[in-house]
Amino acid sequence: MTIDGNANGNNSIRQRGLAKMSEVYGWDFADGPGDLFGVTADHLFAEIWSRPGLSVRDRRLLLLGALSARGLFDVAEIQLGAALRNGELAEEQLREVALFLCHYIGWASGTKLDNAVGTVLAQERREQS
């Protein structure tokens, strides 16, 4: 078996991973090159994001907290946009996430997340016009 889970042409793990990636981000994913993409699709999305017990929305909220705590607001923007497009979180809820996190990750970081929310909302409005 190779790192991408394909043995004898069986690519069901990869297909599950690509399907979950599409669900999580709201756009279609095609197979990509390299081990990093393979592990991302086959393990992170086919296995971890697909586990029972937490919804995609639950996992996204956890990820937003972790990204914000690490100061990774550019990556958080991707998650904010996906949550908005997928109908998991509305504008008011995204703002509430930022306000809530201010108290746990620091006011400056929470404010940066709120600014990222504003950036994503403005981008979504431009794309809808």
Side-chain angles (χ1 to χ4, degrees):
M1 183 173 292
T2 65
I3 196 159
D4 65 1
N6 297 329
N8 302 324
N10 179 356
N11 62 3
S12 63
I13 293 171
R14 179 62 50 89
Q15 293 309 311
R16 280 190 307 126
L18 293 172
K20 183 55 81 171
M21 289 172 81
S22 296
E23 176 188 347
V24 167
Y25 290 106
W27 64 75
D28 289 332
F29 276 87
D31 204 353
D35 289 344
L36 180 62
F37 185 88
V39 170
T40 300
D42 299 346
H43 178 69
L44 180 58
F45 286 93
E47 301 298 331
I48 302 304
W49 275 84
S50 299
R51 290 178 55 82
L54 295 174
S55 67
V56 169
R57 180 182 185 273
D58 295 338
R59 293 174 199 281
R60 190 170 328 273
L61 285 167
L62 290 166
L63 182 54
L64 282 168
L67 291 170
S68 298
R70 302 276 322 269
L72 300 172
F73 301 104
D74 54 341
V75 182
E77 283 185 19
I78 296 168
Q79 297 301 323
L80 292 165
L84 190 63
R85 281 188 308 277
N86 290 345
E88 296 161 2
L89 296 166
E91 177 176 349
E92 301 79 25
Q93 292 171 311
L94 294 174
R95 295 286 188 187
E96 189 65 27
V97 166
L99 179 61
F100 178 79
L101 286 175
C102 280
H103 295 82
Y104 289 93
I105 64 174
W107 209 262
S109 293
T111 301
K112 286 180 182 179
L113 180 62
D114 189 65
N115 289 337
V117 169
T119 298
V120 167
L121 292 171
Q123 180 181 347
E124 291 294 319
R125 287 183 184 119
R126 279 192 305 273
E127 290 176 5
Q128 291 176 358
S129 323

